[in-house]
Amino acid sequence: MTRAGLLATTEPASAPPPLSSEYLDHFYRDGGGACAIMSVAHFPDEILTYLQMECLAAFKTALDEKCDAVVELGCFDGRALEVARAAGLPYCGIDINSGAVAALRERICDEGLDAQATAVVGNAQESVLWSAQVPGRRPLLVLPFNLLGNLSDPRRALMGLRSLGGTVLVSVFNEQPRTTAVRRAYYARCTRGLAEPAPGRYGGTVFRGAQGFRSESFSAPALRRLLRECGLRIHSETANRLGLAVGARRA
């Protein structure tokens, strides 16, 4: 896609339904739009550089913080499984979509990683329900691909992860106009009724669409403040022009 194509303004869309506190049930569970969001065929080229940055930041953080496991929230197809494999660490993927978890379990079996990896159906905002299945005492807890900006209650998720110990790595889109244009082009391929972006809660912009789709970006100062307010101390930051990945531990 050309730069002109990315930055072109889309035609106004019909207003999406109001955001429900149960929106995860509508979009990210089975039968929702999560498969479209995660389809590589829908990724603009620049999304791939963001994902490369995220994976390298996760690998470096796992080594620097001497983590003994990798736990990926919103894992879907399990990209961070490759981080765990490269670092020689146990892996646990958590996703609210049972179909994605079943597919990841099949991949784990096909690749002979049954002794190293597992996948669990669970909600990132309800860590108390799956925390017993987290391997290791110093896990790397990865919130990949702007997952934090998709959650209705980011504070609840971060507070739950803090209680697990280990290191949290949060990867988010930034608030820059070019990033907003890339996100608009991407989301337009994935969801119906996409509305124009509105100001978000954390210095960025929020997109909404059909089936309760919602995605919010972050400014770096707002993300740092949110982490501090949730009792997490920042230890590392990695960024490129689309986003940033921040590593933090319990203060």
Side-chain angles (χ1 to χ4, degrees), residues 199-219:
R201 298 166 292 180
Y202 302 106
T205 56
V206 58
F207 283 93
R208 291 186 172 91
Q211 295 181 288
F213 170 73
R214 180 184 182 283
S215 180
E216 181 171 3
S217 60
F218 295 76
S219 71

Side-chain angles (χ1 to χ4, degrees), residues 151-237:
L151 300 178
S152 58
D153 192 350
R155 292 174 185 273
R156 179 182 173 193
L158 290 171
M159 294 291 286
L161 295 181
R162 186 192 68 173
S163 69
L164 299 180
T167 299
V168 177
L169 184 75
V170 180
S171 172
V172 296
F173 288 123
N174 65 33
E175 82 288 12
Q176 296 301 312
R178 182 180 183 85
T179 303
T180 301
V182 171
R183 292 170 64 216
R184 179 191 287 113
Y186 169 40
Y187 300 148
R189 301 177 187 181
C190 304
T191 186
R192 295 176 292 102
L194 185 68
E196 283 299 296
R201 298 166 292 180
Y202 302 106
T205 56
V206 58
F207 283 93
R208 291 186 172 91
Q211 295 181 288
F213 170 73
R214 180 184 182 283
S215 180
E216 181 171 3
S217 60
F218 295 76
S219 71
L223 178 60
R224 295 184 193 114
R225 184 167 57 251
L226 175 62
L227 292 169
R228 288 196 302 268
E229 290 171 353
C230 292
L232 294 163
R233 179 183 294 121
I234 294 171
H235 287 258
S236 65
E237 290 191 29

